[in-house]
Amino acid sequence: MRNALKTPDAEGATHVLFEPLEFLAGLAARVPKPRVNLTRFHGAFVPHSAHRAQLTEAGRSRSARRLEDSTRPSAGRQ
């Protein structure tokens, strides 16, 4: 398989020639493993952020639920 480069490399080559098995091996190495989350969240969007409920449309976050549960009066106390 012949592939054109955008710009010539240091030696002046403008194309790369791959054997079919070499091409498939390189392609298979770039496929992500199954069930791996490819999206990383940072800051207020991490699942355990206290501010996530204010920012997301669903309004859910683990810590917000824990906070609601701890402030809710229990039926046993009076």
Side-chain angles (χ1 to χ4, degrees):
M1 175 173 231
R2 193 171 178 177
N3 196 1
L5 300 173
K6 288 183 180 180
T7 58
D9 66 359
E11 298 171 357
T14 57
H15 289 77
V16 180
L17 186 63
F18 291 107
E19 294 295 322
L21 233 85
E22 185 182 10
F23 173 73
L24 290 175
L27 187 63
R30 289 168 175 80
V31 174
K33 294 179 181 177
R35 294 176 297 281
V36 173
N37 191 358
L38 299 178
T39 306
R40 307 280 176 151
F41 295 102
H42 301 278
F45 290 103
V46 295
H48 60 275
S49 172
H51 303 293
R52 182 176 175 162
Q54 298 167 1
L55 299 172
T56 59
E57 193 172 305
R60 295 184 309 229
S61 77
R62 291 180 190 160
S63 57
R65 275 186 256 143
R66 267 188 257 127
L67 183 61
E68 288 173 8
D69 292 342
S70 66
T71 58
R72 188 177 299 151
S74 63
R77 289 188 210 162
Q78 287 186 1

